[in-house]
Amino acid sequence: MASVIGRQLVTTIANTVKDAPPYMLAGYFLLSLFVLTQIFYLLIYTVAPTPRDILRSETTYKHIEANGSIGTSKPLPYWKNAYEQRKRTAREKGDLSDSNIGIEDAEVSMSLVVPAFNEENRLGIMLKEAVGYLQKEYGKDNSRITANGSMRHRPKGAQEQNGHISLANGSTGKVPTGWEVLIVSDGSTDKTIDTALEFARSLGSESAGSIRVISLVENRGKGGAVTHGMRHVRGEYAVFADADGASKFEDLGKLLRELKKVQDDDGRGVAVGSRAHLVGSEEVVKRSFLRNLLMHSFHLLLWILTPKATAAIRDTQCGFKLFSRPALPYIIPHMHSESWIFDVEMLMLAEAASIPVAEVPIGWHEVQGSKLNVLWDSLGMAWGLFVLRAAWAMGVYSRT
């Protein structure tokens, strides 16, 4: 009975289409297309991730006092507040040019953001390498121009006089020195926070205060932890690095050199660490067939779904990326993804704002203890990439 009704329905539709005038067919087609588009929009709107609100306790940090004790929690600075105020003032004046809305001046040369979820066993080793490098290259008593160009940078279009710099975007101030590390504990349930504070204490009174420990009440994901840390950096440059120490930290000098080569007249630039040159190495070849298959499949999806400049980057997922301070307002406030796919959103936002991006080969090694589930997280990244691209393309996400 059902099959008979079905055949009759198909026959009726076919006859209607056959007898309908062309203008009516065109109308049906356009109406169907509109309905399907709206349904797809609602689907993407429903599944697209929305970051949760930031809790008040997550806008403070812990630190070690000069006497070795844990200090009272202090409020984190947030550069976006001053940036938004400048935008409001510029809007009232009717002039939204970069010279009126530049980001506030940096207080230190380099900021390092370390996202950490249950990293008590690996965090200390990574921090020892990273802080050793930062102390050597960015110590406050280090006023020399280092071999890697890490001190006293001068962006294109900037002028320096009497130790002060002036950028095309209106930002002026004394050339900063010093460094800071923001460790973002992403809802850790182990001793990650204690490990970070104990490491800071081991540095002694001179450097302990440069370590800031932020505690997120609930796990947000690596992307959420990185974005949270980047909101509160004080550096002229800001880099994030994974807590496992897989990236060779001294290659930060390479990232900085290449960033300076490509940054624009407003000092905006991004440099991404890349492991693409290691694809044929023994360490990668020894991986399982499934892992290598998923890696190449993900690269194909990136090439298909992302804009031209982002698709050209051979390694979007390396957890070692450097940003100049003027680039941050064009990327960080507009982030939505808090999962593994957040790197791609950062690069897409940089491309949308015409921020130059350099891909830089770095040293890297496999580290035991990864929390990545190769199969399920790869599938999740593929789905997340599709939703992310669709959300931006269809206007579910916007920069306003």
Side-chain angles (χ1 to χ4, degrees), residues 218-255:
E218 298 177 358
N219 180 267
R220 302 190 71 132
K222 179 184 173 183
V226 169
T227 301
H228 189 84
M230 285 288 181
R231 291 188 183 106
H232 304 291
V233 294
R234 298 176 295 147
E236 189 176 15
Y237 294 97
V239 61
F240 72 81
D242 290 343
D244 61 6
S247 301
K248 186 179 180 182
F249 196 82
E250 67 180 34
D251 283 345
L252 175 59
K254 293 182 182 179
L255 266 63

CSV table of all heavy atoms in Angstrom, one decimal, residues 218-255:
chain,number,residue,atom,x,y,z
A,218,GLU,N,37.0,25.4,35.4
A,218,GLU,CA,36.6,24.2,34.6
A,218,GLU,C,37.5,24.2,33.3
A,218,GLU,O,37.9,25.2,32.8
A,218,GLU,CB,35.1,24.3,34.2
A,218,GLU,CG,34.2,24.3,35.4
A,218,GLU,CD,32.7,24.5,35.0
A,218,GLU,OE1,32.5,24.6,33.8
A,218,GLU,OE2,31.8,24.5,35.9
A,219,ASN,N,37.7,22.9,32.9
A,219,ASN,CA,38.5,22.7,31.7
A,219,ASN,C,37.8,23.3,30.5
A,219,ASN,O,36.6,23.1,30.2
A,219,ASN,CB,38.7,21.2,31.5
A,219,ASN,CG,39.5,20.9,30.2
A,219,ASN,OD1,38.9,20.7,29.1
A,219,ASN,ND2,40.8,20.9,30.3
A,220,ARG,N,38.5,24.2,29.7
A,220,ARG,CA,38.0,24.8,28.5
A,220,ARG,C,38.5,24.1,27.3
A,220,ARG,O,37.9,24.3,26.2
A,220,ARG,CB,38.4,26.3,28.5
A,220,ARG,CG,37.9,27.1,29.7
A,220,ARG,CD,38.1,28.6,29.4
A,220,ARG,NE,37.2,29.1,28.5
A,220,ARG,CZ,36.5,30.2,28.6
A,220,ARG,NH1,36.5,30.9,29.7
A,220,ARG,NH2,35.6,30.6,27.7
A,221,GLY,N,39.6,23.5,27.4
A,221,GLY,CA,40.3,23.0,26.2
A,221,GLY,C,41.5,23.8,25.9
A,221,GLY,O,41.6,24.9,26.4
A,222,LYS,N,42.4,23.2,25.2
A,222,LYS,CA,43.7,23.9,24.9
A,222,LYS,C,43.5,25.3,24.3
A,222,LYS,O,44.2,26.2,24.7
A,222,LYS,CB,44.6,23.0,24.0
A,222,LYS,CG,45.9,23.6,23.7
A,222,LYS,CD,46.7,22.8,22.7
A,222,LYS,CE,48.0,23.5,22.3
A,222,LYS,NZ,48.7,22.7,21.2
A,223,GLY,N,42.6,25.3,23.3
A,223,GLY,CA,42.4,26.6,22.7
A,223,GLY,C,41.8,27.7,23.6
A,223,GLY,O,42.2,28.8,23.6
A,224,GLY,N,40.9,27.3,24.5
A,224,GLY,CA,40.4,28.2,25.5
A,224,GLY,C,41.5,28.7,26.5
A,224,GLY,O,41.5,29.9,26.8
A,225,ALA,N,42.4,27.8,26.9
A,225,ALA,CA,43.4,28.2,27.8
A,225,ALA,C,44.4,29.1,27.1
A,225,ALA,O,44.9,30.1,27.7
A,225,ALA,CB,44.2,26.9,28.3
A,226,VAL,N,44.8,28.8,25.9
A,226,VAL,CA,45.7,29.7,25.2
A,226,VAL,C,45.1,31.1,25.0
A,226,VAL,O,45.7,32.1,25.2
A,226,VAL,CB,46.1,29.1,23.8
A,226,VAL,CG1,46.8,30.1,22.9
A,226,VAL,CG2,47.0,27.9,24.0
A,227,THR,N,43.9,31.1,24.5
A,227,THR,CA,43.2,32.4,24.3
A,227,THR,C,43.1,33.2,25.6
A,227,THR,O,43.3,34.4,25.6
A,227,THR,CB,41.8,32.2,23.7
A,227,THR,OG1,41.9,31.5,22.5
A,227,THR,CG2,41.1,33.5,23.4
A,228,HIS,N,42.8,32.5,26.7
A,228,HIS,CA,42.7,33.2,28.0
A,228,HIS,C,44.0,33.8,28.4
A,228,HIS,O,44.0,35.0,28.8
A,228,HIS,CB,42.2,32.2,29.0
A,228,HIS,CG,41.9,32.9,30.3
A,228,HIS,ND1,40.7,33.4,30.6
A,228,HIS,CD2,42.6,33.1,31.5
A,228,HIS,CE1,40.6,33.9,31.8
A,228,HIS,NE2,41.8,33.7,32.4
A,229,GLY,N,45.1,33.1,28.2
A,229,GLY,CA,46.4,33.6,28.5
A,229,GLY,C,46.7,34.8,27.6
A,229,GLY,O,47.3,35.8,28.1
A,230,MET,N,46.4,34.7,26.3
A,230,MET,CA,46.8,35.8,25.4
A,230,MET,C,46.0,37.1,25.7
A,230,MET,O,46.5,38.2,25.3
A,230,MET,CB,46.5,35.3,24.0
A,230,MET,CG,47.5,34.3,23.4
A,230,MET,SD,49.1,35.1,23.1
A,230,MET,CE,50.0,33.7,22.4
A,231,ARG,N,44.9,37.0,26.4
A,231,ARG,CA,44.2,38.2,26.7
A,231,ARG,C,44.9,39.0,27.7
A,231,ARG,O,44.7,40.2,27.9
A,231,ARG,CB,42.8,37.8,27.3
A,231,ARG,CG,41.8,37.2,26.4
A,231,ARG,CD,40.4,37.1,27.1
A,231,ARG,NE,39.5,36.4,26.3
A,231,ARG,CZ,39.0,35.2,26.4
A,231,ARG,NH1,39.5,34.5,27.4
A,231,ARG,NH2,38.1,34.7,25.6
A,232,HIS,N,45.8,38.4,28.5
A,232,HIS,CA,46.4,39.1,29.6
A,232,HIS,C,48.0,39.3,29.5
A,232,HIS,O,48.6,39.6,30.5
A,232,HIS,CB,46.1,38.3,30.9
A,232,HIS,CG,44.6,38.1,31.1
A,232,HIS,ND1,43.8,39.2,31.4
A,232,HIS,CD2,43.8,37.0,31.0
A,232,HIS,CE1,42.5,38.7,31.5
A,232,HIS,NE2,42.5,37.4,31.3
A,233,VAL,N,48.5,39.1,28.3
A,233,VAL,CA,49.9,39.2,28.1
A,233,VAL,C,50.3,40.7,28.1
A,233,VAL,O,49.5,41.6,27.7
A,233,VAL,CB,50.4,38.6,26.8
A,233,VAL,CG1,50.3,37.1,26.9
A,233,VAL,CG2,49.7,39.2,25.6
A,234,ARG,N,51.5,41.0,28.6
A,234,ARG,CA,52.1,42.3,28.6
A,234,ARG,C,53.2,42.5,27.7
A,234,ARG,O,53.9,43.6,27.6
A,234,ARG,CB,52.5,42.7,30.1
A,234,ARG,CG,51.4,42.6,31.1
A,234,ARG,CD,52.0,42.9,32.5
A,234,ARG,NE,52.9,41.8,32.9
A,234,ARG,CZ,54.0,42.0,33.7
A,234,ARG,NH1,54.3,43.2,34.1
A,234,ARG,NH2,54.7,40.9,34.0
A,235,GLY,N,53.5,41.5,26.9
A,235,GLY,CA,54.7,41.5,26.1
A,235,GLY,C,54.6,42.2,24.7
A,235,GLY,O,53.5,42.4,24.2
A,236,GLU,N,55.8,42.7,24.3
A,236,GLU,CA,55.9,43.3,22.9
A,236,GLU,C,55.6,42.1,21.9
A,236,GLU,O,55.1,42.4,20.8
A,236,GLU,CB,57.3,43.8,22.8
A,236,GLU,CG,57.5,44.6,21.5
A,236,GLU,CD,58.9,45.2,21.5
A,236,GLU,OE1,59.8,44.8,22.3
A,236,GLU,OE2,59.1,46.1,20.7
A,237,TYR,N,56.0,41.0,22.3
A,237,TYR,CA,55.7,39.7,21.5
A,237,TYR,C,55.1,38.7,22.5
A,237,TYR,O,55.4,38.7,23.7
A,237,TYR,CB,56.9,39.2,20.9
A,237,TYR,CG,57.5,40.0,19.8
A,237,TYR,CD1,58.5,40.9,20.0
A,237,TYR,CD2,57.0,40.0,18.5
A,237,TYR,CE1,59.1,41.7,19.1
A,237,TYR,CE2,57.5,40.9,17.5
A,237,TYR,CZ,58.5,41.7,17.8
A,237,TYR,OH,59.0,42.5,16.8
A,238,ALA,N,54.2,37.9,22.0
A,238,ALA,CA,53.6,36.8,22.8
A,238,ALA,C,53.7,35.5,22.1
A,238,ALA,O,53.3,35.4,20.9
A,238,ALA,CB,52.2,37.2,23.2
A,239,VAL,N,54.2,34.5,22.8
A,239,VAL,CA,54.3,33.2,22.2
A,239,VAL,C,53.6,32.2,23.1
A,239,VAL,O,53.5,32.3,24.3
A,239,VAL,CB,55.8,32.7,22.0
A,239,VAL,CG1,56.5,32.7,23.4
A,239,VAL,CG2,55.9,31.4,21.3
A,240,PHE,N,52.9,31.2,22.5
A,240,PHE,CA,52.4,30.1,23.3
A,240,PHE,C,53.2,28.8,22.9
A,240,PHE,O,53.5,28.6,21.8
A,240,PHE,CB,50.9,29.9,23.2
A,240,PHE,CG,50.4,29.4,21.9
A,240,PHE,CD1,50.4,28.0,21.7
A,240,PHE,CD2,49.8,30.2,21.0
A,240,PHE,CE1,49.8,27.5,20.5
A,240,PHE,CE2,49.3,29.7,19.8
A,240,PHE,CZ,49.3,28.3,19.6
A,241,ALA,N,53.4,28.0,23.9
A,241,ALA,CA,54.1,26.7,23.8
A,241,ALA,C,53.5,25.7,24.6
A,241,ALA,O,53.0,25.9,25.7
A,241,ALA,CB,55.6,26.9,24.1
A,242,ASP,N,53.4,24.4,24.1
A,242,ASP,CA,52.8,23.3,24.8
A,242,ASP,C,53.7,23.0,26.1
A,242,ASP,O,54.9,23.1,26.1
A,242,ASP,CB,52.7,22.1,23.9
A,242,ASP,CG,51.7,22.3,22.8
A,242,ASP,OD1,50.9,23.2,23.0
A,242,ASP,OD2,51.7,21.5,21.9
A,243,ALA,N,53.0,22.5,27.1
A,243,ALA,CA,53.6,22.2,28.4
A,243,ALA,C,54.5,20.9,28.3
A,243,ALA,O,55.2,20.7,29.2
A,243,ALA,CB,52.5,22.0,29.5
A,244,ASP,N,54.3,20.2,27.2
A,244,ASP,CA,55.1,18.9,27.1
A,244,ASP,C,56.6,19.1,26.7
A,244,ASP,O,57.4,18.2,26.8
A,244,ASP,CB,54.4,17.9,26.2
A,244,ASP,CG,54.3,18.5,24.8
A,244,ASP,OD1,54.9,19.5,24.5
A,244,ASP,OD2,53.7,17.8,23.9
A,245,GLY,N,56.9,20.4,26.3
A,245,GLY,CA,58.3,20.6,25.9
A,245,GLY,C,58.7,20.0,24.6
A,245,GLY,O,59.9,19.8,24.4
A,246,ALA,N,57.8,19.6,23.8
A,246,ALA,CA,58.1,18.9,22.5
A,246,ALA,C,58.9,19.8,21.6
A,246,ALA,O,59.7,19.4,20.8
A,246,ALA,CB,56.9,18.3,21.9
A,247,SER,N,58.5,21.1,21.6
A,247,SER,CA,59.2,22.1,20.7
A,247,SER,C,60.5,22.5,21.3
A,247,SER,O,60.6,22.7,22.5
A,247,SER,CB,58.3,23.3,20.4
A,247,SER,OG,57.1,22.9,19.9
A,248,LYS,N,61.5,22.7,20.5
A,248,LYS,CA,62.8,23.2,20.9
A,248,LYS,C,62.7,24.7,21.2
A,248,LYS,O,62.6,25.5,20.3
A,248,LYS,CB,63.9,23.0,19.8
A,248,LYS,CG,65.3,23.3,20.2
A,248,LYS,CD,66.2,23.0,19.1
A,248,LYS,CE,67.7,23.3,19.5
A,248,LYS,NZ,68.6,23.0,18.3
A,249,PHE,N,62.7,25.1,22.5
A,249,PHE,CA,62.3,26.5,22.8
A,249,PHE,C,63.2,27.5,22.3
A,249,PHE,O,62.8,28.6,22.0
A,249,PHE,CB,62.1,26.6,24.3
A,249,PHE,CG,61.3,27.9,24.7
A,249,PHE,CD1,59.9,27.9,24.7
A,249,PHE,CD2,62.0,29.0,25.0
A,249,PHE,CE1,59.2,29.0,25.0
A,249,PHE,CE2,61.3,30.2,25.3
A,249,PHE,CZ,59.9,30.2,25.3
A,250,GLU,N,64.5,27.2,22.2
A,250,GLU,CA,65.4,28.2,21.7
A,250,GLU,C,65.2,28.6,20.3
A,250,GLU,O,65.7,29.6,19.8
A,250,GLU,CB,66.9,27.8,21.9
A,250,GLU,CG,67.3,26.6,21.0
A,250,GLU,CD,68.7,26.2,21.3
A,250,GLU,OE1,69.2,26.3,22.4
A,250,GLU,OE2,69.4,25.8,20.3
A,251,ASP,N,64.3,27.8,19.6
A,251,ASP,CA,63.9,28.2,18.2
A,251,ASP,C,63.0,29.4,18.2
A,251,ASP,O,62.6,29.9,17.1
A,251,ASP,CB,63.3,27.0,17.5
A,251,ASP,CG,64.4,26.0,17.0
A,251,ASP,OD1,65.5,26.4,17.0
A,251,ASP,OD2,64.0,24.9,16.7
A,252,LEU,N,62.6,29.9,19.4
A,252,LEU,CA,61.9,31.1,19.4
A,252,LEU,C,62.6,32.2,18.7
A,252,LEU,O,62.0,33.1,18.1
A,252,LEU,CB,61.6,31.5,20.9
A,252,LEU,CG,60.9,32.9,21.2
A,252,LEU,CD1,59.6,32.9,20.5
A,252,LEU,CD2,60.8,33.1,22.7
A,253,GLY,N,63.9,32.2,18.8
A,253,GLY,CA,64.8,33.2,18.1
A,253,GLY,C,64.5,33.1,16.6
A,253,GLY,O,64.4,34.2,15.9
A,254,LYS,N,64.3,31.9,16.0
A,254,LYS,CA,64.0,31.8,14.6
A,254,LYS,C,62.7,32.4,14.3
A,254,LYS,O,62.5,33.1,13.3
A,254,LYS,CB,64.0,30.3,14.2
A,254,LYS,CG,65.3,29.6,14.3
A,254,LYS,CD,65.2,28.2,13.8
A,254,LYS,CE,66.4,27.4,13.8
A,254,LYS,NZ,66.2,26.0,13.4
A,255,LEU,N,61.7,32.1,15.1
A,255,LEU,CA,60.3,32.7,14.9
A,255,LEU,C,60.4,34.2,14.9
A,255,LEU,O,59.7,34.9,14.1
A,255,LEU,CB,59.4,32.2,16.0
A,255,LEU,CG,58.6,30.9,15.6
A,255,LEU,CD1,59.5,29.7,15.4
A,255,LEU,CD2,57.6,30.6,16.7
